Amino acid sequence: MTKGGRLALLTALVLLSGCASFAKGVTEAILEQDKEDTRACHIDGPASQGLEAFLRAQEQERRAGAGSRRLKVLMVHGIGEHQPGYSGRLTENLMRALGLNVREEGFKEIDLREPEVSGDRVGQLRISRFTNKARTRDLIFYELTWSAITEDEKSIIAFDDSTEYTFRRAALNAMFKGFINSHIPDSLIFLGKPRIRILSSVRQAFCWMTQGDWDAYLDAADEPCNLAAGQRAQQLLEDDYVFVTHSLGSRVVIDTLQYFGNLAATGSTPGVVAVGQALPQANLRIYMFANQLPLLEMGQERAPVRGQIQSYCRPQGRHYRDRILSDLPIYAFSDPNDILSYPVPPKFAADYLDSRLCPNITNITLNLAPTVSLLGLGELANPAEAHGGYDHDERVIALVARGIGSADTAEVIKQRCTWLETTKSGW
């Protein structure tokens, strides 16, 4: 009997069986399987504090009557179509974990413009503010939406999602094909002409992050950010900056940091040069969901400085004064069942990432989507959930909020994740 025949027979037996004990046994087995969460979670990297530590330090400063430090978080999406508000579930879960239960009413929205050549629209930045009831903690959340840049290019294959073609596909195949049509083209498009506009979108978003506090933003704006205006270099030193990226967004943010780091040598005005000079003292980190750095390195021009992390990042290093950043913690999340994401091995970081960024890698390998047995046909994990399920996974939220290896570490991480702590010899 074929596998399909065995599956049909088993289904018929379950449906037709009048044996109460058999039905009860099947039901209990299913319930037991649902109750036990066996999804893997492994962390490979140094001890680290989460966003809670930044907010606690901010709170202590304010209660002492000193300092106006803010925590600023920029969300940069990756492949696929996105609309403003796409980060809503992430912000709700993250703010709950951080005890930020008060949100400033409304949003502030900026239509981003390409500043150097055309002035074209390159995305939208939506800004929201979260605090606690005592107003001793302050987090400004920036959500960047740039996917409209790739819409024209993706229209080339839009016909493939029409009923004329989809009705001929099996249900699961149609689902997978739709996912591929929506997501894969963006990585290909990024290698072409739209790359410049995508990079400009993130550069503009980062520039606007250095504007100041919540009250420094208009309710609505439609103009390029002027990097030379205001006290942006000083703002880089006064606030804490966090990037949360998804898939392609990881590569775009890395390229953006390289661009800003080079301003110290290439900037045309004192204000712009000052921003580049301030970066080595700035406090930045990146949480990369469904990381695609290794995939997107293919076909790219290599970073100008590689394989010299110790020389640029140790205070005793020969090129320490030429670093872009002093330390860039990168938390690379990946699900082994996600066909579109990759871990970041230490050798990859050394051989391909710009040494001047001083990357400090933590790999988090975890199963977002549970695997299900296809009754002899193998196991399957939903690829869409494996790629996009980060914003509601309690382990992911706990790691971002409270880190690993400190008193802040959440119980869910202690109980359900294994941690291999890494150190740097000779540092």
Side-chain angles (χ1 to χ4, degrees):
M1 182 181 293
T2 65
K3 289 182 178 179
R6 290 198 299 270
L7 178 58
L9 177 60
L10 179 58
T11 303
L13 288 174
V14 172
L15 293 175
L16 297 177
S17 174
C19 178
S21 61
F22 178 78
K24 179 180 178 182
V26 171
T27 302
E28 290 177 346
I30 293 174
L31 291 175
E32 183 65 26
Q33 185 177 22
D34 289 341
K35 185 171 65 175
E36 182 183 5
D37 189 347
T38 59
R39 292 175 302 158
C41 174
H42 180 72
I43 303 161
D44 191 344
S48 64
Q49 294 182 313
L51 305 191
E52 167 65 23
F54 298 147
L55 292 171
R56 185 169 56 246
Q58 179 188 111
E59 187 172 41
Q60 291 169 351
E61 286 183 1
R62 295 186 177 189
R63 285 179 172 169
S68 58
R69 181 172 292 273
R70 287 162 293 270
L71 176 58
K72 296 182 173 181
V73 180
L74 172 63
M75 177 75 206
V76 181
H77 70 70
I79 57 179
E81 181 181 349
H82 293 77
Q83 298 296 328
Y86 67 87
S87 67
R89 183 156 61 171
L90 173 69
T91 55
E92 180 176 327
N93 290 327
L94 184 57
M95 300 312 148
R96 184 185 298 116
L98 292 170
L100 300 178
N101 49 11
V102 178
R103 193 189 80 179
E104 194 84 23
E105 185 177 15
F107 302 95
K108 300 194 175 186
E109 296 181 323
I110 301 174
D111 284 332
L112 303 178
R113 295 285 173 178
E114 207 288 325
E116 297 174 357
V117 182
S118 63
D120 289 345
R121 188 174 184 272
V122 290
Q124 184 184 77
L125 191 65
R126 174 181 284 193
I127 310 171
S128 52
R129 182 191 187 192
F130 299 87
T131 63
N132 57 346
K133 291 187 182 299
R135 304 298 194 274
T136 55
R137 298 183 170 206
D138 193 7
L139 187 151
I140 302 178
F141 192 91
Y142 303 77
E143 177 201 78
L144 172 62
T145 307
W146 58 260
S147 60
I149 293 173
T150 63
E151 286 179 359
D152 287 344
E153 294 290 335
K154 291 165 73 171
S155 66
I156 295 173
I157 60 170
F159 70 88
D160 196 51
D161 291 324
S162 67
T163 305
E164 181 181 3
Y165 294 92
T166 57
F167 88 95
R168 303 178 188 277
R169 298 174 183 141
L172 286 178
N173 296 74
M175 181 184 73
F176 293 149
K177 190 67 181 296
F179 178 80
I180 289 173
N181 286 348
S182 173
H183 291 72
I184 295 297
D186 290 297
S187 296
L188 302 177
I189 294 169
F190 181 67
L191 300 178
K193 292 181 179 179
R195 169 190 174 90
I196 297 174
R197 298 184 67 207
I198 296 172
L199 289 172
S200 180
S201 181
V202 182
R203 291 172 186 173
Q204 281 287 293
F206 186 39
C207 178
W208 281 111
M209 286 180 79
T210 63
Q211 174 85 357
D213 62 17
W214 171 259
D215 294 329
Y217 298 96
L218 299 174
D219 290 341
D222 183 358
E223 59 183 290
C225 176
N226 184 355
L227 194 62
Q231 301 296 318
R232 299 190 184 281
Q234 183 63 31
Q235 205 68 53
L236 272 173
L237 304 179
E238 291 182 359
D239 297 328
D240 299 310
Y241 293 83
V242 174
F243 298 90
V244 179
T245 66
H246 191 266
S247 62
L248 175 58
S250 59
R251 176 73 199 208
V252 182
V253 166
I254 289 292
D255 288 352
T256 297
L257 291 178
Q258 287 180 301
Y259 167 82
F260 278 96
N262 290 329
L263 291 177
T266 62
S268 57
T269 65
V272 173
V273 172
V275 169
Q277 292 174 336
L279 274 176
Q281 286 77 47
N283 185 21
L284 296 91
R285 63 171 55 186
I286 310 176
Y287 294 94
M288 296 180 173
F289 299 159
N291 167 64
Q292 291 184 341
L293 284 182
L295 175 66
L296 295 169
E297 183 64 31
M298 295 186 294
Q300 296 289 317
E301 182 178 349
R302 300 292 183 250
V305 180
R306 293 174 288 126
Q308 303 179 60
I309 291 178
Q310 291 196 28
S311 178
Y312 280 87
C313 303
R314 289 192 307 172
Q316 306 89 344
R318 180 180 178 184
H319 300 294
Y320 185 67
R321 296 182 62 182
D322 299 321
R323 68 200 186 283
I324 291 176
L325 298 169
S326 294
D327 180 49
L328 178 61
I330 295 176
Y331 303 88
F333 291 77
S334 60
D335 185 330
N337 293 317
D338 178 9
I339 59 176
L340 295 174
S341 70
Y342 301 80
V344 181
K347 183 171 175 54
F348 174 86
D351 291 349
Y352 296 103
L353 294 185
D354 196 316
S355 300
R356 298 172 299 168
L357 293 173
C358 298
N360 191 0
I361 308 293
T362 295
N363 277 290
I364 299 102
T365 305
L366 73 173
N367 295 133
L368 297 171
T371 57
V372 294
S373 174
L374 299 182
L375 299 179
L377 300 178
E379 291 185 331
L380 175 70
N382 184 337
E385 177 68 11
H387 186 71
Y390 293 92
D391 57 4
H392 58 277
D393 187 280
E394 61 177 333
R395 299 162 299 171
V396 174
I397 300 299
L399 283 168
V400 175
R402 299 188 173 274
I404 183 70
S406 74
D408 288 335
T409 304
E411 282 300 314
V412 67
I413 301 302
K414 295 177 183 178
Q415 295 175 7
R416 293 176 51 192
C417 297
T418 60
W419 174 40
L420 178 64
E421 184 176 7
T422 61
T423 59
K424 293 184 177 181
S425 59
W427 281 52

